[in-house]
Amino acid sequence: MRTIITLLSFLTILSVSAQNITITQPNGGEKLYACDQYPIKFSATGTSNYYNVDYSLNNGSTWTSSATNLLITNGQYLWTVPKVSSSNCLLRLRDKNDTLKQDISDNVFSIQIPVILTSPINSEKWLGNTSHNITWNMVGTSSTFNIAYSLNNGSTWTTIATNYASTNGSYTWMVPNLPSSQCLVRVMDAVTNCKVDISPYNFTILAAQPLLISQNGGDRLDWDASTTINWRSTTFYSPVRIELSTDSGANWSVIVTSTSNTGSYSGWVVPQVVSDRCLIKVSNTADLTSYDISDNVFSIKRPLVVVTPNGGDSLLGCNNYTIYLAKTPYTSGLVYLQYSTDGMATWKAITNFNNSLYTQTNYVYTWQVPNGINSNTVRIRAYNSSYPAMSDTSDADLKIVANRAITVTQPNGGESIPALSNFTIKWTNTAEASGLYNVLYSSNSGTTWTTLATNISGNSYTWSNIPNVPTTKYLVKVVDYSNTCKFDVSDNNFSITTV
């Protein structure tokens, strides 16, 4: 019995003698933050002054070495708290040369991560050029942060903000229009870089919706005009492809395969097509499914358009009619007006004007319709001498009818009249005639004319001493003295015979 008591007393004395280290801090209940430096305080007697420091996150079940072979003579060690998180932490301090000399915190303490990212932390999908909040837990930080993002799973980083002061752990980020499915965000304490957190999972930045500014619908463009196409460059993330449709988007033709994303393209010369169903499409060359199209159709027109007469009109010789052209003032060169009476086989001049000097957006010309024409296949045409393709013709045939204010009745064709004789020339008239007339004859089917009388009245004239110039190509013409457009000519040739 005495022997047992003596043994127990010895073990007790041995245990007390081995307890030569006493940790006073941390000794339970403290709240530490990862990456901070925290003073470990202890008292020790009879040790080698060389120590190993270990910590446990599970109340001592397992231990992790923090430092070894530390020479400490003042009972204090500045410990850099590891980047771990647990509320069941313990610290152990042991003599390196005699591990029986040790102490463990009397109670557990906690270690908390000071920067914990809370958004984005899942597989979010954020649209480029939209605002989203980056959020994090900031307890235990300096309250100033450096924020960055990566598009390649962390291989490289781009700065969002530096030395950003925050009181609530939130930053409103305008997401860049840089599509990627390997995006990460990093929030780092600006003072202590160890205090950092990164998105645990990749999130996705989706391409912003491209935005076309012009031509966006309702415009009218003219052939060969140099036109600028505009878009919002921030809504694109790569060079831009531009296309044109003239059939409401059913088919597309390329304007430019790839142009820099500057927000405008000034190299487009409007093609020579006619359509009211035109659209422009601008696309990211990196992804042709990312595009914008004109909100509404626009039109491409000829710069010269014959508005009136445009077909179906009936024009009377010697009367005035208005030719109206829709045109644009910027085109240069002479604009010619012409008419055809033979189904557009040949053309005759009406007038011309210098388009570059004309400042209005249309042109009006009063045309006195020539007399002596009877045709149902008349067309009016306008074209630009500098741009021959810039032309327009009446959409359908119109009619010109000869003005019959005067009608020659004798000679009217087929007569044979002796030379040196007298012959009565006769005509009728309507109320449109002035009542005063000039009388002429031709011996070469109308190529040239010789005057017989001027400013005479009545409806006849005696042609005396007919010239002795025999031919079968004679014609007579009676002209209104007050309006020479009103006239009539023998319907067919007659003959002068020798005496």
Side-chain angles (χ1 to χ4, degrees), residues 477-492:
K477 178 164 69 173
V478 178
V479 181
D480 191 301
Y481 176 78
S482 299
N483 184 350
T484 57
C485 175
K486 298 175 182 179
F487 66 89
D488 191 31
V489 178
S490 308
D491 289 346
N492 294 290

Side-chain angles (χ1 to χ4, degrees), residues 215-220 245-249 252 275-280 293-300:
Q215 278 55 54
N216 206 28
D219 311 76
R220 169 189 163 143
S245 174
T246 58
D247 53 13
S248 299
W252 295 93
S275 174
D276 292 319
R277 299 188 297 150
C278 299
L279 296 168
I280 291 292
I293 296 176
S294 308
D295 290 345
N296 296 291
V297 295
F298 61 92
S299 61
I300 295 177

Side-chain angles (χ1 to χ4, degrees), residues 395-409:
D395 290 345
D397 288 332
L398 50 136
K399 180 190 295 186
I400 292 180
V401 178
N403 191 315
R404 293 300 184 182
I406 300 171
T407 302
V408 174
T409 58

Side-chain angles (χ1 to χ4, degrees), residues 126-132 173-178 203 205-206:
W126 288 354
L127 190 65
N129 291 348
T130 60
S131 295
H132 288 272
W173 182 35
M174 177 59 71
V175 180
N177 188 28
L178 299 170
F203 65 96
I205 295 178
L206 301 173

Side-chain angles (χ1 to χ4, degrees), residues 223-464:
W223 293 0
D224 292 343
S226 181
T227 303
T228 299
I229 298 170
N230 298 292
W231 63 91
R232 187 167 296 167
S233 60
T234 56
T235 64
F236 290 80
Y237 63 92
S238 73
V240 174
R241 176 185 176 99
I242 307 176
E243 298 170 89
L244 168 70
S245 174
T246 58
D247 53 13
S248 299
N251 297 282
W252 295 93
S253 59
V254 175
I255 294 174
V256 59
T257 303
S258 179
T259 186
S260 298
N261 182 23
T262 60
S264 66
Y265 177 74
S266 58
W268 184 39
V269 176
V270 180
Q272 294 178 1
V273 297
V274 176
S275 174
D276 292 319
R277 299 188 297 150
C278 299
L279 296 168
I280 291 292
K281 178 165 68 173
V282 285
S283 311
N284 280 294
T285 58
D287 179 7
L288 296 181
T289 65
S290 176
Y291 60 83
D292 191 24
I293 296 176
S294 308
D295 290 345
N296 296 291
V297 295
F298 61 92
S299 61
I300 295 177
K301 299 290 187 182
R302 297 180 180 90
L304 294 171
V305 178
V306 177
V307 180
T308 58
N310 202 32
D313 311 72
S314 181
L315 311 184
L316 179 63
C318 298
N319 283 4
N320 291 333
Y321 285 88
T322 298
I323 297 176
Y324 177 85
L325 304 181
K327 58 173 283 294
T328 50
Y330 60 80
T331 51
S332 61
L334 288 175
V335 174
Y336 290 88
L337 281 177
Q338 299 176 318
Y339 72 98
S340 173
T341 59
D342 54 9
M344 298 182 286
T346 60
W347 294 90
K348 298 177 181 179
I350 297 175
T351 189
N352 64 72
F353 62 93
N354 192 323
N355 194 39
S356 62
L357 299 179
Y358 199 76
T359 59
Q360 304 302 313
T361 57
N362 52 59
Y363 180 80
V364 178
Y365 179 75
T366 301
W367 181 39
Q368 186 180 59
V369 180
N371 201 8
I373 299 172
N374 285 289
S375 174
N376 294 327
T377 58
V378 178
R379 297 286 182 109
I380 303 295
R381 180 174 76 172
Y383 75 91
N384 188 306
S385 62
S386 297
Y387 303 95
M390 290 186 183
S391 65
D392 191 33
T393 303
S394 306
D395 290 345
D397 288 332
L398 50 136
K399 180 190 295 186
I400 292 180
V401 178
N403 191 315
R404 293 300 184 182
I406 300 171
T407 302
V408 174
T409 58
Q410 180 180 302
N412 204 29
E415 295 89 346
S416 182
I417 304 172
L420 304 178
S421 65
N422 297 329
F423 184 83
T424 302
I425 300 171
K426 297 180 180 180
W427 62 90
T428 61
N429 67 276
T430 67
E432 291 186 17
S434 68
L436 297 173
Y437 308 96
N438 299 332
V439 182
L440 304 91
Y441 77 90
S442 172
S443 60
N444 51 19
S445 297
T447 302
T448 59
W449 294 91
T450 301
T451 300
L452 292 173
T454 62
N455 198 20
I456 64 172
S457 60
N459 293 99
S460 65
Y461 173 77
T462 300
W463 185 11
S464 301

